[in-house]
C-alpha cells in the first residue's frame, strides 16, 4: 500500500496513458504475472499490491492505463467494485479480472459489464498468458475489423406508442430479439428513464448505463457501451434506466442524437423505444431514424394523435419511412373501424397485432420474448410481420450506394 501512496503523490498531471497496470492481492499471483508482463515489453513496476480497491484509488491520481488486470479476491461485492472502477476508467480501457470466486453467474455479470475475461485463482501461467494476449487482440480489433467493403445499411428504428397500454415496449423487445436472432449485433435503447421495462422483460436490471451515457456523452464509445449495457442474448444489448423519479436532468440538446450516432457505430441495428412526451423537446430522435413505427389502437384519440405525429414526422424527418402498427388489446376497445381509421390518418395499417393475453402472460412469467417462448403463435407471427414491413423498405432501396449506405454503415 506504500507504493500506492507514493504513486498518488508523484503522479504527473496530463501524462500519457501507460499501456498497462495490474493490481494484485497475493504474492503468488504477482510472481506468475511478472514474466508475462516482461514478455509483453511492459514494466514490472506497474504490478501493484492491493487489488481493485487500490486501482480505484490510484486512478484518481494517475492517467488511466490502456489495459488493466484487477484482482477481486478481497471484494465483498465484486459487481459494485467493478462499477466503481468503471466510473474512473477512461474510454477505451480493457480490463481483465481475476478472483477467488468460481461462480458462473459472476462470470457472466462481469462479461456483461464489459470485462474482457475473468480468471479464477489459483492462476496458471498458460491461462493468464492466453488471456493477456486475447485482451491485446481485443484492443486492436476495432481497426482490424473495419471493412471498407461493408456498405450494408443496418436499421435505426424508432418506436412511438400513440397511447399507453398498446404494447409498444413488448413489441420493441420482440423486434430487437428477432434482429439479434439473425446474428445481427443489435441494441435496444429504452428512453423511458424512470419507468422503462425493456430490461425487466428479460428479468434483468438495467443499471446506470443510460444515465451515465446522457451525463457524459463524450465518453460513449465501444468499450463504454460494453460496460453500460445488459445482454439477454449474445447479439442483443439493452441500454436503459430505472433512475429514481426526478433524479435526472433533462438530456442536453444533441446528447440523444450523439448517443444514437455512437450506438450506430457499434451496432448494426439500433432500436429505440421513445415515450411520445419526449418528442416535443427531442425531435432529433425522429430525424436520426431510418424507420419510424407508430403503435396505436383503433380509438378516436389515437387517430387524432397519429394524424398529428405523421404531420410532424414529415417536417422533421421527411426521409424516414413511417409504419403504422395497430394493436388490438382487451384494455382498449375498438372505437373506429380499421378502414375509417386508415382514411382519417391517410396511411394504411401495416400490421394488426391480435389480442392474446394468455401468450403474453406465459412469456412474461418465463422472462422471454413471445417470438422465442411461443414462436408458433399468431402473436409471434404478427411481430415477425412488423419486422418484415420494416426490412422490406431496405430490399427495395439501393443498399450498396448513396448517402444512406454511408450514413448507416455499421459493424455487425
Amino acid at each position: 500500500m506504500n507504493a500506492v501512496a507514493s504513486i498518488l503523490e508523484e503522479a504527473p498531471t496530463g501524462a500519457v496513458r501507460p499501456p498497462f497496470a495490474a493490481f494484485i492481492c497475493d504474492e503468488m499471483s504477482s510472481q506468475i504475472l511478472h514474466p508475462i508482463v516482461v514478455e509483453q515489453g511492459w514494466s514490472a513496476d506497474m504490478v501493484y499490491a492491493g487489488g481493485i480497491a487500490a486501482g480505484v484509488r490510484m486512478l484518481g491520481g494517475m492517467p488511466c492505463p490502456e489495459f488493466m488486470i484487477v484482482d477481486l479476491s478481497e471484494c465483498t461485492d465484486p459487481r459494485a467494485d467493478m462499477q466503481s472502477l468503471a466510473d474512473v476508467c477512461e474510454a477505451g480501457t480493457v480490463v481483465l479480472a481475476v478472483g477467488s470466486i468460481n461462480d458462473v453467474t459472476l462470470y457472466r455479470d462481469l462479461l456483461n459489464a464489459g470485462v474482457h475475461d475473468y480468471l479464477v485463482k489459483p492462476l496458471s501461467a498458460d491461462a493468464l498468458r492466453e488471456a493477456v494476449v486475447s485482451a491485446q487482440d481485443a484492443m486492436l480489433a476495432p481497426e482490424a475489423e473495419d471493412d471498407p467493403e461493408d456498405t450494408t445499411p443496418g436499421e435505426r428504428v424508432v418506436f412511438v406508442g400513440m397511447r399507453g397500454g398498446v404494447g409498444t415496449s413488448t413489441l420493441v423487445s420482440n423486434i430487437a430479439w428477432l434482429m439479434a436472432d439473425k446474428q445481427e449485433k443489435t441494441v435496444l435503447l429504452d428512453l423511458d428513464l424512470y419507468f422503462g421495462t425493456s430490461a425487466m422483460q428479460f428479468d434483468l436490471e438495467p443499471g446506470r448505463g443510460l444515465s451515465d451515457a446522457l451525463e457524459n456523452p463524450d465518453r460513449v464509445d465501444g468499450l463504454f457501451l460494453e460496460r453500460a449495457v445488459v445482454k439477454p442474448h449474445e447479439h442483443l444489448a439493452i441500454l436503459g434506466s430505472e433512475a429514481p423519479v426526478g433524479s435526472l436532468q433533462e438530456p442536453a440538446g444533441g446528447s440523444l442524437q450523439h448517443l444514437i450516432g455512437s450506438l450506430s457505430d457499434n451496432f448494426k441495428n439500433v432500436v429505440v423505444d421513445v415515450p411520445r412526451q419526449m418528442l416535443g423537446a427531442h425531435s432529433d430522435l425522429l430525424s436520426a431514424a431510418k424507420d419510424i413505427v407508430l403503435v396505436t389502437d383503433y380509438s378516436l384519440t389515437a387517430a387524432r394523435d397519429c394524424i398529428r405525429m405523421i404531420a410532424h414526422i414529415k417536417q422533421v424527418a421527411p426521409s424516414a419511412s413511417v409504419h403504422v402498427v395497430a394493436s388490438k388489446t382487451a384494455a382498449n376497445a375498438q372505437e373506429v373501424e380499421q378502414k375509417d381509421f386508415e382514411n382519417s390518418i391517410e396511411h394504411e395499417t401495416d400490421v394488426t397485432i391480435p389480442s392474446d393475453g394468455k401468450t403474453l402472460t406465459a412469456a412474461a412469467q418465463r422472462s422471454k420474448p413471445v417470438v422465442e417462448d411461443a414462436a408458433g403463435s399468431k402473436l409471434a407471427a404478427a411481430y415477425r410481420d412488423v419486422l418484415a414491413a420494416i426490412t422490406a423498405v431496405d430490399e427495395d432501396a439501393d443498399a450498396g450506394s448513396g448517402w444512406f449506405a454511408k450514413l448507416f454503415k455499421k459493424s455487425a
Side-chain angles (χ1 to χ4, degrees):
M1 301 303 294
N2 291 336
V4 173
S6 174
I7 289 292
L8 289 175
E9 292 174 0
E10 299 174 4
T13 57
V16 177
R17 295 180 66 182
F20 164 80
F23 306 93
I24 306 297
C25 294
D26 66 291
E27 183 62 27
M28 180 178 293
S29 297
S30 294
Q31 291 178 1
I32 295 173
L33 177 60
H34 270 90
I36 299 173
V37 170
V38 174
E39 289 173 9
Q40 295 294 324
W42 301 323
S43 172
D45 292 337
M46 295 300 287
V47 180
Y48 303 105
I52 189 172
V56 172
R57 289 195 297 271
M58 285 189 67
L59 291 181
M62 66 177 284
C64 181
E66 296 176 2
F67 170 51
M68 282 192 295
I69 301 177
V70 294
D71 194 336
L72 307 177
S73 299
E74 297 178 352
C75 297
T76 57
D77 189 345
R79 297 166 181 82
D81 288 342
M82 284 303 308
Q83 182 59 56
S84 297
L85 180 68
D87 290 341
V88 296
C89 277
E90 292 187 22
T93 304
V94 175
V95 177
L96 172 65
V98 301
S100 55
I101 300 176
N102 188 0
D103 179 75
V104 66
T105 301
L106 174 62
Y107 174 77
R108 289 173 176 170
D109 288 348
L110 292 175
L111 294 190
N112 286 339
V115 173
H116 176 73
D117 203 352
Y118 174 65
L119 303 182
V120 179
K121 294 181 178 181
L123 301 176
S124 74
D126 290 342
L128 184 56
R129 181 179 291 105
E130 182 179 347
V132 169
V133 171
S134 174
Q136 290 294 96
D137 292 341
M139 295 174 68
L140 301 175
E143 293 182 4
E145 292 175 0
D146 185 16
D147 182 6
E149 299 293 328
D150 182 10
T151 56
T152 303
E155 288 293 337
R156 283 186 182 185
V157 191
V158 170
F159 287 77
V160 185
M162 293 294 93
R163 296 192 69 187
V166 294
T168 305
S169 295
T170 301
L171 171 62
V172 172
S173 296
N174 279 271
I175 294 299
W177 182 274
L178 287 170
M179 290 177 169
D181 222 33
K182 291 163 57 181
Q183 311 301 306
E184 295 178 354
K185 194 175 179 184
T186 301
V187 61
L188 195 171
L189 174 59
D190 188 344
L191 287 176
D192 191 336
L193 304 181
Y194 300 118
F195 305 106
T197 62
S198 295
M200 180 184 293
Q201 292 188 53
F202 298 98
D203 197 24
L204 298 172
E205 295 184 5
R208 282 188 47 84
L210 179 55
S211 304
D212 291 342
L214 295 178
E215 291 172 2
N216 305 285
D218 293 337
R219 289 186 58 197
V220 176
D221 66 359
L223 289 172
F224 178 94
L225 291 170
E226 282 298 316
R227 292 193 294 264
V229 300
V230 294
K231 294 182 177 180
H233 184 291
E234 179 184 1
H235 300 289
L236 175 60
I238 297 175
L239 185 59
S241 172
E242 290 178 1
V245 177
S247 64
L248 301 179
Q249 295 182 350
E250 180 71 16
S255 62
L256 291 175
Q257 192 170 26
H258 176 85
L259 175 58
I260 292 177
S262 298
L263 292 172
S264 298
D265 291 338
N266 291 276
F267 295 89
K268 178 175 175 59
N269 302 311
V270 181
V271 183
V272 186
D273 185 357
V274 54
R276 60 176 180 166
Q277 294 85 349
M278 184 176 279
L279 294 176
H282 299 284
S283 290
D284 51 349
L285 286 169
L286 298 176
S287 59
K290 186 154 141 302
D291 294 270
I292 300 171
V293 181
L294 305 183
V295 187
T296 181
D297 59 12
Y298 290 127
S299 66
L300 290 172
T301 304
R304 179 202 66 182
D305 292 345
C306 280
I307 293 170
R308 298 167 70 189
M309 186 60 69
I310 291 172
H312 182 61
I313 292 170
K314 288 180 179 178
Q315 291 183 342
V316 302
S319 62
S321 298
V322 178
H323 311 272
V324 175
V325 174
S327 176
K328 289 186 175 180
T329 65
N332 297 320
Q334 181 172 319
E335 299 175 349
V336 182
E337 293 296 326
Q338 178 177 341
K339 193 63 177 178
D340 294 335
F341 185 91
E342 292 174 339
N343 289 337
S344 66
I345 69 172
E346 297 182 348
H347 196 292
E348 291 186 355
T349 302
D350 294 83
V351 179
T352 298
I353 299 176
S355 176
D356 190 348
K358 183 177 179 180
T359 298
L360 285 170
T361 300
Q365 289 174 340
R366 287 186 277 270
S367 300
K368 292 183 178 181
V370 169
V371 292
E372 182 193 25
D373 189 63
S377 65
K378 292 182 179 180
L379 194 57
Y383 292 149
R384 290 192 292 269
D385 287 344
V386 174
L387 179 60
I390 296 169
T391 55
V393 176
D394 295 334
E395 295 171 358
D396 293 338
D398 183 5
S401 62
W403 69 274
F404 253 141
K406 296 177 182 178
L407 180 61
F408 294 111
K409 177 186 174 186
K410 304 175 184 69
S411 57

